[in-house]
Amino acid sequence: MKKTYKIDVDCANCANKMEDAAKNTAGVKDATVNFMALKMIVEFEEGQEPKTVMEEVRKNCKKVEDDCEIFL
């Protein structure tokens, strides 16, 4: 399952850090951040609950870029 989330991030490099953090989160099959559109597309592994996984994605993104935001 894929879902799209609105994000708030200041620079393209920060967006790349968020993408890497999301990709390395348990339950995420793949993630792509589009800095120009301020969107994150997340593909979840089979059987994962998106809301639960996205809470972890948000925590992991905050570790690498503390002023970013993901609107769930």
Side-chain angles (χ1 to χ4, degrees):
M1 172 191 331
K2 283 187 182 181
K3 286 191 162 242
T4 302
Y5 298 91
K6 185 177 179 341
I7 60 170
D8 183 24
V9 63
D10 295 332
C11 70
N13 187 47
C14 301
N16 286 336
K17 289 181 186 178
M18 286 179 69
E19 184 175 296
D20 289 341
K23 284 182 178 180
N24 292 318
T25 302
V28 174
K29 186 174 182 180
D30 194 23
T32 306
V33 172
N34 183 325
F35 173 65
M36 296 303 288
L38 292 176
K39 293 190 187 294
M40 176 186 283
I41 300 168
V42 180
E43 184 176 356
F44 300 95
E45 291 178 356
E46 193 69 37
Q48 295 294 321
E49 176 58 44
K51 186 173 174 85
T52 305
V53 173
M54 285 308 295
E55 289 298 332
E56 290 304 309
V57 168
R58 179 187 268 164
K59 287 179 193 173
N60 290 340
C61 286
K62 291 279 189 186
K63 289 178 189 173
V64 296
E65 193 52 51
D66 62 351
D67 65 345
C68 70
E69 188 56 69
I70 302 171
F71 301 98
L72 305 180

